[in-house]
C-alpha cells in the first residue's frame, strides 16, 4: 500500500528476477504476490520460539498449516493395494507432539524413504500440510517439513535463515512452505528502507508509532516480542487509516452528487398507509424512520445501511378484553369490522385482526391493583407524573422498555397511564330493574343468597345506570373517610368487591381492593361529575378532590406470565389506541415500506432488490396485503393516493413481464419488487428515486450498481440486512454508508433450542433426530431439512471421478444433496410423511406451488437448499435439521435457524455433522448451538473467517486487504482512524499535501477495487 519504484519491482521479470522464477511464479499464482512491496506486506501469521512447541489441538480442518513439533514415534507398515497387490505397499506413520497433544503424519509409497531416515524420535522440525481426517483422527498426509537444527549444526544455513529466538510462520500454500517464504523475505527485506510512510507526521508522532521501514523490519525479523508489538501497532494504523481515508473520500464525493429530494406529502400515500397499520412505531423505529426521511429529503443521494429486523409484535392474549360499544369482548372473539371504544370515548372500526401464534406474555400490575397482559413489544401511552401535570406529550413505549426502567430513584412508579373517557355501553333499552334499587338490595344482602355479583346487564349499560348501581351499593355498604378525603366499600364477597371496582373504573375513577380481617375494602375515587353517594348524610361529608389528584394509574411492576396464544388488532382511528382490561388505555402500529411510500408520495419510484424469487414473491404478497386498496391504484403523481405494486422476476410469463415493464416505464407502478431481473437493460424506470437492497450480503456490488444506474439522477440507496453486523464491521465494510440499527429483537419469536448431532461419533443421535421430526409432525407441526447442494447430475462433484484407495488419499465425501436426502427420508425414517423438495433450479411456478402447500400445512417436511434462508415465514414450522451443517457459515446457520420458532410452538434446530469433536468446524457449530445472540455469532464468524477483502468482492479471508488489523479486536483503532481520516479529507480532499498517503491509497485501490469503491 506504500509502494515506490523500488518496491514496485516485480518478483519475476524476463531479464532479471528478484527471486527464482519458479518461486516467483508460485507466489504470484497462489498467494497473489507480484512485487517486492507485495511480499514485504505478506506478514507472518504467528511466531514460534525455538524452545517452545506449538498447540496441535488448535489446528483448523481443511486448512494449510505450519506447525513446529517434535517426533514422538515413527512406524513403517506394509499393506496390499491396487498398486501393490502382493503386500509390498509401504506406509510411514509418524506421530508428532507438542507436549500436550499429538498429530499423525502419513507418507505413502516411494515418499516414505527420506522421512523414514530423517524423522527419528526426538527430532524437531517444521511441518506444513493440509489438515484432514482419517479414521476420525486429524492428520497431515505427505506434509513438507524442514528440520530445525542448532546454530552449531552442520546445516548452518538453516540457523542463519531463522536467526534470532523467534521463527516467523507465514501464510503458505501446498506449493510454497512457510520456511521458503522466509528465505525469500531475506532477499527483499533490504528494500523496506525505501518504503514511503503514508501516515501524516503529526499523527505518527502523536501516537508514538514507529516509522514504516522500522515496522517492516520488526514484523519480519523480530528479536523480541516487544518488536512484534511495535510493528503490529504501527501496521494496524496503516491499514485502518488508509482504508478509512478511502471511505471518507467516497463519502465526500457522494456529498457532491445531485439527487432529487423526496419529501412525503402530508396527506399522501404514506399517511394513508400509516392510518391502516395494525401496530405503532416504537421509539427505535421512529428514530430510524426519521434518519431515513431526513436522508431522502436532502439534495444529495442518501446511502444508508439499516440492520436489524423490524419486530411485528404489539399483541395481547386471546383471553384479554377489548372494550366495544356493547361491553368487553375477548380479544380472540373480535373480528374485522367490529366496533371498539377508543380512549377519548369515540367509536372506531377494527380494520385488521392479526393472529400472532403463541408468545411469551407479561402482566403489567398497576397501582390500583388491576392488571393487563400483553407481549413484550406491546405499546403503551405513558408519561411520568410530572410530565402529565405539565401537559407534556406522552411517550409510546414497549413493555420491554417499561420493565427495564420501572421506578424513580425513590422507588415510586415512574410511568403513569392515561385514564379512559367514560362511555355509554349497550343499547337504549336499559336494565330490567331500577339500577339504584338493585344496587341497594344487592348491597344490603336482601337479594337471593347466591347473587353476589353485578350481572352484565347492569354493567353494559349507560353511564347514568352504572352510576346508579354503584350509588345503591355505596349507600348500603359504603363509608366516608373521617376527614372526608375519600370513600370505601366493604364486602365479604371478592366477586362483588371486584365488580364495584369495575364500575368505578368504567366511570373514569380509581378503585383499589384492600384485604381486611373479615372482608375486603374497595377504596373509591370518582371524577367530580359522579358522586359516589345519593344519601345526603353520606354525600355531605365528602370533601372536594385535591387539585393534584388524578385518575391516572402507575405501573408498579411487570411480571412474566408464560406462553399464551396472542393476536393484535388494527383500529381505524387517528389515535391508533383502544381500551383493554380494567379500562386500561393501550396503543398499536408497525413500520414497513415507509421509505418507499415516502418516495412514491414525492413523485418517484422505489425498487426493492431481493436475492431469491421465493423471497421476492413473498415480499410482493405481503406488501400488497398490507397496503390493501392502496396497492390497487392509479397513475403516479395523480390525485388518487393509491399506486401499483408490481413483481418482476426472470421466470415470469411474457405477457406479465411486458405489462410490468410497461407499468415501470410509464410510472404507473410506484413500487417494484424483483430479483436480478430488475438489473437487465430492458428494464427502464419513469423516475427511480430509491433503491432498497434486501439482504445485501447476497448481492455483488455490480448488481446493486446496475440498478442504481437506472435513475435519471443518482437515486437514494437503502441497504437492509437482518444479519447482525458488529459496529467495527459496519465502520469498515460499510464505511461509506451511514448506519441505522434496529436493535430490538424480533417480537413474538418462540425460543429455539439448537443442538449439534455428531452423526459419525454417535449414529443413534441422527436416528433420534428423525424421531423428533416425526414427533413434531404428529403434533400438527412441520419441519425443514436443509442440504448444501441440489444433487442432480449437473452439480455432482463425483461425476466421472475415479475412486481412489483410502490408503492413497483420505477420501472427502461430497456434500449431502436435497434430491438424495429427500428420497432416503421418504423411503426410510420419515416414511408415511408428506415430503417435498425445494431448490433454486425448479421452475418458479413449481417453487411457488411447493411453498404455498408448505405454508398451508399440506406438506410435513420440506427438504431444501438455502433458498429458504431468508424471508420465508411459516409459523407452523417448528423443526429444522441442517445436514452437513459444518459446510455453512455461522451467519448462514443463524439465518436458517430463524425460519423456525416463528409461531405457535418452540423451535428446534439440529446441526448434523460428521466432523470430529476437536475440529474447528465442530467448535463453530457448538458456538451456534450455544447462543441465539446474532451479534455475538457475527463476532465468532468474523474471528474464524476473518474479514474478507473489505473493498473487494471476496467474502472470506483468502483475499483480504486487512493483514494485521482485526475489525473485532481493534475497534478503538478503527474508530480513531475514522475520525482522523474524516478530518484529513475535509481539509484536503485530493490529498495534495500528503503525497505518501496518496501513494498508499493508489496501491490499496487497484483498478478492481477502485471500480468497487466508485460503485459504492
Amino acid at each position: 500500500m506504500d509502494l515506490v519504484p523500488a518496491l514496485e519491482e516485480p518478483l519475476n521479470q524476463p531479464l532479471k528476477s528478484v527471486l527464482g522464477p519458479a518461486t516467483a511464479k508460485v507466489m504470484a499464482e497462489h498467494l497473489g504476490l507480484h512485487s517486492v512491496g507485495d511480499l514485504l506486506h505478506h506478514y507472518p501469521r504467528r511466531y514460534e520460539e525455538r524452545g517452545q512447541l506449538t498447540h496441535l489441538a488448535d489446528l483448523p480442518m481443511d486448512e494449510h498449516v505450519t506447525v513446529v513439533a517434535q517426533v514422538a514415534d515413527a512406524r513403517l507398515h506394509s499393506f496390499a493395494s491396487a498398486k501393490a497387490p502382493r503386500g509390498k505397499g509401504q506406509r510411514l506413520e509418524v506421530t508428532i507432539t507438542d507436549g500436550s497433544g499429538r498429530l499423525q503424519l502419513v507418507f505413502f509409497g516411494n515418499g516414505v524413504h527420506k522421512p523414514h531416515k530423517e524423522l527419528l524420535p526426538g527430532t524437531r522440525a517444521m511441518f506444513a500440510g493440509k489438515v484432514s481426517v482419517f479414521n476420525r483422527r486429524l492428520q497431515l498426509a505427505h506434509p513438507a517439513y524442514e528440520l530445525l537444527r542448532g546454530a552449531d549444526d552442520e546445516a548452518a544455513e538453516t540457523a542463519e535463515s531463522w536467526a534470532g529466538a523467534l521463527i516467523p510462520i507465514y501464510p503458505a500454500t501446498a506449493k510454497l512452505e512457510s520456511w521458503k517464504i522466509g528465505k525469500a523475505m531475506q532477499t527483499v527485506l533490504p528494500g523496506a528502507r525505501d518504503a514511503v510512510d503514508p501516515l501524516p507526521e503529526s499523527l505518527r508522532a502523536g501516537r508514538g508509532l514507529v516509522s514504516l521501514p522500522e515496522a517492516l523490519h520488526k514484523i519480519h525479523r523480530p528479536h523480541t516480542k516487544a518488536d512484534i508489538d511495535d510493528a503490529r501497532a504501527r501496521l494496524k494504523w496503516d491499514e485502518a487509516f488508509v482504508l478509512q481515508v478511502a471511505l471518507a473520500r467516497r463519502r465526500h464525493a457522494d456529498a457532491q452528487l445531485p439527487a432529487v429530494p423526496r419529501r412525503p406529502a402530508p396527506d399522501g400515500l404514506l399517511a394513508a398507509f400509516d392510518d391502516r397499520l395494525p401496530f405503532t412505531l416504537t421509539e427505535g423505529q421512529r428514530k430510524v424512520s426519521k434518519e431515513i426521511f431526513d436522508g431522502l429529503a436532502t439534495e444529495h443521494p442518501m446511502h444508508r445501511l439499516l440492520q436489524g429486523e423490524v419486530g411485528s409484535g404489539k399483541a395481547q392474549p386471546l383471553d384479554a378484553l377489548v372494550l366495544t360499544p356493547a361491553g368487553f369482548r375477548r380479544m380472540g372473539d373480535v373480528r374485522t369490522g367490529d366496533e371498539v371504544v377508543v380512549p377519548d370515548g369515540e367509536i372506531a372500526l377494527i380494520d385488521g385482526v392479526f393472529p400472532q401464534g403463541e408468545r411469551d406474555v407479561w402482566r403489567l400490575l398497576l397501582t390500583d391493583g388491576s392488571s393487563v397482559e400483553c407481549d413484550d413489544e406491546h405499546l403503551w401511552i405513558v408519561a411520568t407524573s410530572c410530565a402529565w401535570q405539565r401537559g407534556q406529550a406522552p411517550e409510546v413505549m414497549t413493555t420491554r422498555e417499561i420493565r427495564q426502567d420501572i421506578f424513580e430513584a425513590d422507588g415510586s412508579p415512574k410511568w403513569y397511564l392515561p385514564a379512559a373517557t367514560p362511555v355509554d355501553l349497550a343499547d337504549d333499552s336499559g336494565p330490567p330493574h331500577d339500577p339504584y334499587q338493585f344496587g341497594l338490595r344487592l348491597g344490603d344482602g336482601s337479594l337471593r343468597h347466591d347473587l353476589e355479583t353485578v350481572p352484565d346487564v347492569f354493567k353494559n349499560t349507560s353511564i347514568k345506570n352504572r352510576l346508579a348501581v354503584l350509588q345503591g351499593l355505596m349507600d348500603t355498604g359504603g363509608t366516608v373517610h373521617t376527614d372526608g378525603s375519600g370513600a370505601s366499600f366493604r364486602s365479604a364477597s371478592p366477586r362483588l368487591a371486584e365488580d364495584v371496582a369495575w364500575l368505578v373504573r368504567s366511570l373514569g375513577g380509581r378503585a383499589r381492593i384492600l384485604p381486611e380481617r373479615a372482608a375486603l375494602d374497595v377504596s373509591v375515587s370518582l371524577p367530580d361529575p359522579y358522586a359516589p353517594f345519593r344519601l345526603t348524610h353520606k354525600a355531605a361529608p365528602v370533601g372536594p378532590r385535591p387539585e393534584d389528584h388524578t385518575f391516572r394509574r402507575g405501573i408498579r411492576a411487570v411480571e412474566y406470565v408464560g406462553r399464551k396464544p396472542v393476536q393484535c388488532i388494527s383500529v381505524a382511528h387517528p389515535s391508533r389506541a383502544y381500551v383493554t382490561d380494567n379500562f386500561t388505555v393501550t396503543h398499536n402500529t408497525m413500520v414497513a415500506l415507509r421509505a418507499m411510500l415516502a418516495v412514491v408520495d414525492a413523485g418517484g419510484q422505489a425498487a426493492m432488490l431481493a436475492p431469491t424469487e421465493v423471497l421476492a414473491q413473498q415480499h410482493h404478497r405481503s406488501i400488497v396485503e398490507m397496503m390493501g386498496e392502496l396497492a390497487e391504484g392509479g397513475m403516479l403523481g395523480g390525485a388518487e393516493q393509491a399506486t401499483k405494486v408490481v413483481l418482476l422476476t426472470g421466470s415470469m410469463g411474457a405477457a406479465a413481464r411486458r405489462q410490468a415493464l410497461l407499468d415501470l416505464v410509464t410510472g404507473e407502478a410506484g413500487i417494484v419488487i424483483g430479483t436480478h431481473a430488475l438489473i437487465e437493460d430492458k428494464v427502464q424506470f419513469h423516475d427511480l428515486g430509491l433503491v432498497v437492497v434486501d439482504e445485501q450480503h447476497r448481492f455483488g456490488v455490480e448488481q446493486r450498481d446496475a440498478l442504481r444506474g437506472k435513475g435519471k439522477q443518482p437515486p437514494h440507496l437503502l441497504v437492509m440486512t437482518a444479519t447482525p453486523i458488529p459496529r467495527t464491521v459496519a465502520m469498515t465494510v460499510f464505511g461509506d454508508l451511514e448506519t441505522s440499527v434496529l436493535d430490538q429483537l424480533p417480537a413474538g419469536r418462540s425460543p429455539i433450542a439448537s443442538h449439534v448431532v455428531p452423526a459419525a461419533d454417535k449414529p443413534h443421535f441422527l436416528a433420534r433426530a428423525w424421531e423428533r421430526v416425526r414427533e413434531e409432525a404428529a403434533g400438527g407441526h412441520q419441519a425443514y431439512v436443509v442440504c448444501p447442494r441440489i444433487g442432480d447430475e449437473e452439480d455432482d462433484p463425483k461425476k466421472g471421478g475415479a475412486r481412489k484407495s483410502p490408503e492413497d488419499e483420505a477420501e472427502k465425501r461430497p456434500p449431502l444433496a436435497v434430491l438424495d436426502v429427500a428420497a432416503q427420508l421418504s423411503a426410510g425414517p420419515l416414511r408415511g410423511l408428506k415430503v417435498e423438495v425445494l431448490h433454486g433450479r425448479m421452475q418458479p411456478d413449481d417453487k411457488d406451488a411447493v411453498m404455498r402447500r408448505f405454508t398451508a400445512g399440506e406438506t410435513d417436511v420440506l427438504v431444501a437448499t438455502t433458498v429458504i434462508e431468508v424471508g420465508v415465514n411459516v409459523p407452523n414450522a417448528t423443526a429444522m435439521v441442517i445436514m452437513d451443517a459444518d459446510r455453512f457459515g455461522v451467519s448462514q446457520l443463524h439465518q436458517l435457524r430463524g425460519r423456525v420458532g416463528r409461531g405457535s410452538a418452540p423451535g428446534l434446530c439440529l446441526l448434523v455433522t460428521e466432523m470430529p469433536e476437536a475440529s474447528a468446524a465442530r467448535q463453530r457449530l457448538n458456538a451456534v448451538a450455544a447462543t441465539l445472540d446474532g451479534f455475538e455469532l457475527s463476532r465468532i464468524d468474523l474471528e474464524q473467517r476473518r474479514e474478507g477483502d473489505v473493498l473487494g468482492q471476496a467474502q472470506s479471508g483468502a483475499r483480504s486487504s486487512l493483514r494485521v488489523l482485526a475489525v473485532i479486536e481493534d475497534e478503538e483503532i478503527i474508530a480513531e482512524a475514522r475520525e482522523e481520516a474524516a478530518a484529513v479529507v475535509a481539509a484536503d480532499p485530493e490529498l495534495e499535501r500528503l503525497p505518501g498517503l496518496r501513494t498508499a491509497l493508489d496501491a490499496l485501490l487497484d483498478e478492481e477495487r477502485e471500480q468497487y469503491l466508485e460503485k459504492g
Side-chain angles (χ1 to χ4, degrees):
M1 63 171 61
D2 40 84
L3 308 186
V4 295
L7 274 66
E8 289 176 354
E9 187 175 359
L11 296 174
N12 185 18
Q13 51 188 337
L15 299 179
K16 175 188 175 184
S17 291
V18 175
L19 304 176
T23 301
K25 182 179 180 182
V26 172
M27 284 189 172
E29 292 179 355
H30 295 275
L31 294 174
L33 307 178
H34 302 278
S35 67
V36 171
D38 289 342
L39 182 53
L40 285 173
H41 288 291
H42 188 70
Y43 307 132
R45 177 175 288 167
R46 67 180 193 279
Y47 302 84
E48 293 291 349
E49 297 182 61
R50 287 191 181 281
Q52 190 179 65
L53 301 181
T54 188
H55 296 286
L56 300 179
D58 297 332
L59 296 181
M61 273 297 301
D62 293 331
E63 287 192 21
H64 196 277
V65 300
T66 301
V67 298
V68 176
Q70 181 171 300
V71 177
D73 184 49
R75 297 175 185 269
L76 189 63
H77 302 274
S78 297
F79 63 89
S81 69
K83 294 182 178 180
R86 298 182 180 180
K88 295 185 178 180
Q90 288 187 309
R91 179 179 73 253
L92 176 65
E93 293 180 356
V94 179
T95 303
I96 59 175
T97 180
D98 63 356
S100 63
R102 291 178 173 241
L103 177 68
Q104 183 172 283
L105 316 178
V106 60
F107 302 85
F108 293 108
N110 294 332
V112 305
H113 302 302
K114 184 169 183 269
H116 184 48
K117 294 179 181 178
E118 294 183 334
L119 298 181
L120 304 175
T123 302
R124 284 189 304 148
M126 284 193 296
F127 302 91
K130 192 172 185 179
V131 182
S132 59
V133 176
F134 183 70
N135 284 340
R136 292 162 54 189
R137 293 174 59 190
L138 296 181
Q139 71 169 20
L140 298 182
H142 281 286
Y145 62 88
E146 178 91 345
L147 302 180
L148 295 178
R149 303 179 175 93
D152 57 349
D153 197 281
E154 295 175 1
E157 181 183 350
T158 302
E160 183 179 346
S161 299
W162 305 106
L166 296 168
I167 304 171
I169 305 298
Y170 289 93
T173 73
K175 294 184 178 294
L176 191 66
E177 294 83 10
S178 172
W179 53 86
K180 292 182 180 178
I181 297 173
K183 291 176 180 177
M185 198 67 70
Q186 287 287 92
T187 304
V188 302
L189 194 55
R193 63 177 178 269
D194 297 320
V196 175
D197 208 315
L199 295 187
E201 175 60 32
S202 58
L203 189 158
R204 191 170 72 245
R207 299 182 182 277
L209 301 173
V210 301
S211 68
L212 181 58
E214 183 179 352
L216 291 173
H217 274 90
K218 285 185 173 182
I219 197 77
H220 292 295
R221 290 295 175 266
H223 294 292
T224 65
K225 291 183 178 179
D227 286 347
I228 301 171
D229 293 339
D230 287 346
R232 290 179 64 84
R234 164 56 210 254
L235 295 171
K236 283 183 177 185
W237 256 97
D238 276 20
E239 292 183 357
F241 181 69
V242 176
L243 172 59
Q244 291 300 334
V245 166
L247 296 169
R249 295 185 75 218
R250 175 59 179 155
R251 292 194 301 273
H252 182 271
D254 285 341
Q256 314 308 312
L257 293 175
V260 178
R262 308 287 182 174
R263 299 182 180 89
D267 299 316
L269 180 60
L270 177 61
F273 178 72
D274 284 348
D275 285 345
R276 61 177 288 116
L277 283 177
F279 313 98
T280 299
L281 304 180
T282 64
E283 179 61 33
Q285 291 163 351
R286 287 201 305 272
K287 174 177 172 287
V288 167
S289 292
K290 184 179 186 304
E291 291 171 350
I292 293 172
F293 290 153
D294 288 348
L296 292 173
T298 63
E299 296 181 352
H300 306 289
M302 176 189 74
H303 294 83
R304 183 166 292 277
L305 169 70
L306 173 60
Q307 59 168 313
E309 294 184 85
V310 181
S312 57
K314 299 88 181 167
Q316 286 194 271
L318 299 186
D319 57 3
L321 299 176
V322 179
L323 186 60
T324 75
F328 279 106
R329 290 182 63 188
R330 289 178 71 255
M331 170 67 79
D333 296 334
V334 298
R335 299 290 182 266
T336 300
D338 289 349
E339 292 182 327
V340 294
V341 177
V342 299
D344 64 4
E346 295 182 26
I347 306 300
L349 291 177
I350 296 176
D351 61 359
V353 175
F354 303 86
Q356 301 290 309
E358 191 174 87
R359 292 185 179 170
D360 289 331
V361 169
W362 300 80
R363 180 182 294 120
L364 269 65
L365 301 176
L366 307 181
T367 50
D368 65 351
S370 62
S371 64
V372 61
E373 294 182 356
C374 57
D375 77 346
D376 219 14
E377 292 296 305
H378 201 74
L379 293 163
W380 300 96
I381 303 170
V382 296
T384 64
S385 178
C386 292
W388 282 119
Q389 290 175 6
R390 295 168 184 161
Q392 296 175 355
E395 300 182 54
V396 177
M397 296 178 63
T398 64
T399 307
R400 177 188 288 114
E401 291 170 326
I402 290 171
R403 67 182 173 85
Q404 292 173 347
D405 184 24
I406 293 180
F407 302 110
E408 297 282 13
D410 61 1
S412 62
K414 182 172 184 178
W415 305 109
Y416 287 80
L417 301 169
T421 300
V423 294
D424 291 331
L425 300 176
D427 54 31
D428 297 330
S429 61
H433 307 290
D434 179 86
Y436 180 72
Q437 292 298 324
F438 178 82
L440 288 174
R441 295 179 63 192
L442 182 59
D444 66 13
S446 60
L447 293 175
R448 67 179 190 268
H449 181 69
D450 62 343
L451 188 60
E452 296 180 344
T453 183
V454 178
D456 284 347
V457 69
F458 288 97
K459 288 180 174 179
N460 298 325
T461 182
S462 65
I463 295 174
K464 178 182 176 181
N465 289 338
R466 294 202 305 275
L467 177 60
V469 174
L470 178 62
Q471 288 176 330
L473 287 163
M474 294 292 292
D475 281 351
T476 52
T479 59
V480 185
H481 296 171
T482 54
D483 59 0
S485 61
S488 63
F489 175 84
R490 175 163 291 195
S491 172
S493 167
R495 293 177 62 192
L496 184 56
E498 289 172 359
D499 281 347
V500 169
W502 189 97
L503 288 168
V504 172
R505 292 167 188 148
S506 80
L507 298 170
R510 190 164 63 184
R512 185 172 185 182
I513 302 174
L514 302 171
E516 296 292 339
R517 289 183 181 179
L520 296 169
D521 258 5
V522 184
S523 65
V524 174
S525 180
L526 286 168
D528 289 338
Y530 310 122
F533 304 101
R534 280 194 188 180
L535 292 177
T536 305
H537 73 275
K538 287 192 173 184
V542 177
R545 267 190 314 114
E547 290 185 5
D548 60 350
H549 181 92
T550 71
F551 297 101
R552 285 183 291 271
R553 291 172 285 177
I555 300 172
R556 65 178 177 85
V558 181
E559 61 183 24
Y560 179 66
V561 175
R563 295 188 64 77
K564 286 187 173 184
V566 299
Q567 75 178 21
C568 56
I569 59 175
S570 169
V571 178
H573 188 270
S575 70
R576 314 304 300 168
Y578 63 94
V579 179
T580 185
D581 305 64
N582 294 300
F583 297 91
T584 307
V585 173
T586 188
H587 195 264
N588 253 346
T589 301
M590 101 177 165
V591 61
L593 305 183
R594 300 179 77 246
M596 291 195 285
L597 295 177
V599 169
V600 175
D601 253 356
Q605 293 170 290
M608 174 182 279
L609 187 61
T612 66
E613 287 200 2
V614 170
L615 185 55
Q617 290 163 350
Q618 180 157 328
H619 275 324
H620 182 258
R621 280 197 299 269
S622 62
I623 287 172
V624 169
E625 289 171 3
M626 290 173 62
M627 291 181 65
E629 67 275 7
L630 297 177
E632 300 172 355
M635 298 296 291
L636 187 67
E640 298 179 13
Q641 291 175 324
T643 187
K644 184 178 284 189
V645 180
V646 301
L647 175 69
L648 187 64
T649 64
S651 54
M652 290 174 62
R657 182 177 176 80
R658 277 197 302 270
Q659 184 60 52
L661 293 174
L662 181 62
D663 290 339
L664 288 178
V665 76
T666 61
E668 186 163 342
I671 296 174
V672 58
I673 297 98
T675 56
H676 304 81
L678 286 175
I679 300 169
E680 295 175 5
D681 292 339
K682 292 181 181 179
V683 179
Q684 299 297 323
F685 290 83
H686 177 71
D687 182 12
L688 181 60
L690 173 67
V691 173
V692 178
V693 181
D694 189 24
E695 293 299 332
Q696 61 79 31
H697 63 284
R698 303 285 295 275
F699 289 98
V701 176
E702 287 83 358
Q703 296 164 321
R704 299 200 295 267
D705 181 62
L707 184 54
R708 286 178 57 199
K710 292 182 179 291
K712 295 176 182 177
Q713 287 194 15
H716 301 283
L717 174 68
L718 180 63
V719 173
M720 302 192 304
T721 178
T723 304
I725 301 171
R727 174 173 172 262
T728 46
V729 181
M731 285 193 297
T732 51
V733 181
F734 306 106
D736 58 338
L737 301 177
E738 299 299 327
T739 302
S740 295
V741 179
L742 280 168
D743 52 8
Q744 292 175 334
L745 294 176
R749 294 293 174 83
S750 301
I752 303 173
S754 301
H755 304 282
V756 176
V757 178
D761 299 344
K762 300 176 180 178
H764 60 287
F765 275 33
L766 182 58
R768 175 59 184 148
W770 301 127
E771 290 177 8
R772 285 290 290 113
V773 171
R774 296 193 72 94
E775 290 168 6
E776 292 298 312
H781 299 300
Q782 296 160 274
Y784 298 99
V785 177
V786 181
C787 302
R789 66 186 182 97
I790 298 172
D792 50 17
E793 298 257 333
E794 193 172 331
D795 74 338
D796 190 347
K798 294 171 62 178
K799 183 180 178 183
R803 186 180 179 88
K804 296 184 179 181
S805 167
E807 297 291 352
D808 294 330
E809 181 178 316
E811 182 180 74
K812 284 189 64 177
R813 170 179 64 73
L816 291 173
V818 165
L819 300 180
D820 299 336
V821 169
Q824 293 165 9
L825 293 177
S826 296
L830 302 186
R831 185 186 301 110
L833 297 183
K834 175 70 172 178
V835 178
E836 289 203 74
V837 300
L838 182 70
H839 57 75
R841 281 209 289 274
M842 293 171 62
Q843 291 298 316
D845 289 347
D846 294 338
K847 285 190 286 189
D848 200 41
V850 168
M851 278 309 304
R852 287 183 184 276
R853 287 194 294 271
F854 190 65
T855 303
E858 299 171 13
T859 304
D860 297 311
V861 179
L862 186 64
V863 184
T865 58
T866 55
V867 69
I868 57 108
E869 179 183 351
V870 292
V872 174
N873 183 29
V874 181
N876 193 49
T878 55
M880 174 175 287
V881 181
I882 304 179
M883 307 303 293
D884 282 342
D886 48 274
R887 314 270 182 152
F888 301 97
V890 170
S891 294
Q892 195 170 32
L893 291 171
H894 185 56
Q895 283 275 13
L896 287 167
R897 175 171 59 184
R899 299 307 101 200
V900 297
R902 303 174 73 87
S904 59
L908 174 68
C909 180
L910 301 176
L911 308 171
V912 180
T913 180
E914 294 188 357
M915 300 305 290
E917 179 65 35
S919 66
R922 274 287 286 277
Q923 294 171 19
R924 187 170 69 245
L925 296 181
N926 290 338
V928 172
T931 180
L932 293 173
D933 185 336
F935 281 90
E936 175 61 25
L937 287 174
S938 69
R939 293 176 67 93
I940 294 170
D941 191 25
L942 199 65
E943 288 167 358
Q944 294 201 351
R945 295 192 305 119
R946 289 187 56 81
E947 294 78 9
D949 191 328
V950 298
L951 291 181
Q953 300 169 37
Q955 295 298 311
S956 67
R959 179 181 179 273
S960 176
S961 58
L962 302 184
R963 296 175 175 87
V964 291
L965 187 73
V967 298
I968 289 294
E969 300 169 8
D970 299 322
E971 178 173 354
E972 185 176 343
I973 292 176
I974 293 168
E976 292 177 5
R978 183 179 173 91
E979 292 182 9
E980 294 275 7
V984 166
V985 171
D988 183 9
E990 298 303 319
L991 308 180
E992 294 176 352
R993 297 189 294 275
L994 296 168
L997 178 57
R998 179 73 232 194
T999 301
L1001 200 63
D1002 291 342
L1004 176 67
L1005 301 179
D1006 58 24
E1007 183 177 353
E1008 177 188 348
R1009 291 174 181 162
E1010 184 72 54
Q1011 292 175 356
Y1012 180 100
L1013 201 62
E1014 285 304 313
K1015 293 171 182 175

